[in-house]
């Protein structure tokens, strides 16, 4: 990625944040942020205030998602906070706050947050190299991550809502399929029952016809055959109805 051209006066948060710009071994532009302060767990680190924040119409590498359809441009050095699977801070978007993580924050510690905790969709996922014990590996927007990849992580309200909807939708699709399958089984069995009914009626009719043809004749089947109407023939004829 090309270096982000700041539109703001740097440093934007000189009392709490040091931004380190550099290049990695592949000569790619990199940047990271380090905390200048120590904080207890969940204490307020910084506010995402307006200004400098401005609403953004869509997600970019310089925005944070703060609602189902709401994004904001940070317009400050806070944009240089990288992703980690064991983040040191939390972007709590409902109160536009950046909080110390569950372990608190130490002076000199890198500032990181868990990208899918705010981002539903990400233009491009990436293989995380955070190197932490609980690294999730591939990181995309929450939409594209399974529950396994999100387990144990702080997630903002809009992400939780969207995940619930995603799961409901998936469940609905699955139920829909089962329902269609059920319908087709019911239909198939219904046809079989109808066929069985017809076959039963045909056999009954054949039996009646056989009885009528043999009544009063002492020679039984032999004489029926002589009349050219055998019981098998009658049954076969009756069964034609159902074939
Ligand atoms: Zn990771």
């Amino acid at each position: 990625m090309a270096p982000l051209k700041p539109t703001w006066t740097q440093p934007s948060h000189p009392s709490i944040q040091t931004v380190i710009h550099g290049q990695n071994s592949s000569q790619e532009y990199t940047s990271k942020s380090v905390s200048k302060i120590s904080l207890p767990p969940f204490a307020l680190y910084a506010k995402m205030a307006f200004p400098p924040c401005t609403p953004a119409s869509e997600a970019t590498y310089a925005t944070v998602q703060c609602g189902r359809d709401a994004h904001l441009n940070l317009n400050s050095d806070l944009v240089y906070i990288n992703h980690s699977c064991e983040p040191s801070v939390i972007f709590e978007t409902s109160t536009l706050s950046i909080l110390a993580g569950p372990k608190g924050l130490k002076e000199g510690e890198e500032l990181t947050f868990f990208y899918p905790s705010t981002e539903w969709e990400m233009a491009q996922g990436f293989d995380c190299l955070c190197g932490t014990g609980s690294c999730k590996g591939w990181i995309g927007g929450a939409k594209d991550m399974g529950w396994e990849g999100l387990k144990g992580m702080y997630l903002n309200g809009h992400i939780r809502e969207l995940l619930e909807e995603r799961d409901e939708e998936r469940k609905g699709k699955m139920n829909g399929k089962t329902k269609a399958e059920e319908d087709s089984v019911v239909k198939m069995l219904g046809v079989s029952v109808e066929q069985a009914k017809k076959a039963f009626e045909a056999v009954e009719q054949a039996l009646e016809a056989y009885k009528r043809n043999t009544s009063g004749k002492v020679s039984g089947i032999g004489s029926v055959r002589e009349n050219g109407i055998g019981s098998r023939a009658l049954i076969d004829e009756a069964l034609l109805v159902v074939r």
Side-chain angles (χ1 to χ4, degrees):
M1 201 195 335
L4 181 68
K5 285 200 185 75
T7 54
W8 56 91
T9 309
Q10 289 185 293
S12 64
H13 293 73
S15 60
I16 57 170
Q17 179 189 18
T18 306
V19 179
I20 301 165
H21 297 288
Q23 282 183 335
N24 64 14
S25 51
S26 314
Q27 298 300 297
E28 286 169 330
Y29 173 83
T30 60
S31 59
K32 68 174 187 175
S33 294
V34 171
S35 179
K36 280 188 172 178
I37 57 169
S38 296
L39 287 173
F42 308 113
L44 180 68
Y45 174 76
K47 291 288 277 184
M48 291 177 267
F50 287 81
C53 293
T54 52
S57 55
E58 56 181 9
T60 70
Y61 56 85
T63 62
V64 170
Q65 188 172 357
C66 54
R68 300 175 65 98
D69 303 305
H71 307 268
L72 55 87
N73 291 303
L74 288 166
N75 298 324
S76 75
D77 288 347
L78 296 176
V79 81
Y80 300 115
I81 298 180
N82 292 331
H83 164 88
S84 170
C85 300
E86 285 184 25
S88 59
V89 298
I90 290 168
F91 278 59
E92 213 293 296
T93 60
S94 68
T95 55
L96 298 175
S97 306
I98 300 174
L99 309 175
K103 292 179 192 160
L105 189 60
K106 308 238 170 354
E107 187 184 339
E109 190 177 356
E110 184 179 354
L111 296 164
T112 55
F113 84 106
F114 187 64
Y115 283 1
S117 71
T118 60
E119 304 306 301
W120 179 242
E121 285 181 273
M122 225 181 266
Q124 231 175 342
F126 59 92
D127 287 314
C128 183
L129 302 170
C130 74
T132 61
S134 57
C135 182
K136 312 285 188 185
W138 186 84
I139 298 292
K143 177 189 175 185
D144 300 316
M145 298 200 51
W147 274 109
E148 202 51 40
L150 301 170
K151 205 165 68 181
M153 305 308 297
Y154 174 83
L155 301 174
N156 277 279
H158 62 276
I159 295 295
R160 291 187 174 281
E161 258 179 45
L162 289 162
L163 282 169
E164 276 166 27
E165 279 170 32
R166 179 193 73 177
D167 290 352
E168 282 301 311
E169 217 169 277
R170 283 185 183 171
K171 223 192 297 170
K173 271 185 196 153
M174 262 160 59
N175 285 348
K177 198 180 167 199
T178 310
K179 182 81 172 60
E181 281 168 0
E182 271 172 19
D183 285 352
S184 106
V185 169
V186 166
K187 199 174 161 188
M188 209 171 70
L189 288 174
V191 169
S192 299
V193 166
E194 283 309 307
Q195 281 180 339
K197 274 185 191 166
K198 281 179 188 166
F200 181 73
E201 281 166 18
V203 172
E204 253 187 346
Q205 281 167 14
L207 180 64
E208 288 306 313
Y210 174 71
K211 280 180 184 168
R212 274 199 305 278
N213 276 299
T214 54
S215 65
K217 288 178 183 161
V218 289
S219 54
I221 287 171
S223 64
V224 172
R225 283 210 177 118
E226 280 157 25
N227 290 342
I229 311 164
S231 60
R232 271 305 308 169
L234 275 170
I235 292 172
D236 282 346
E237 197 179 316
L239 284 175
L240 278 178
V241 178
V242 297
R243 282 188 189 141

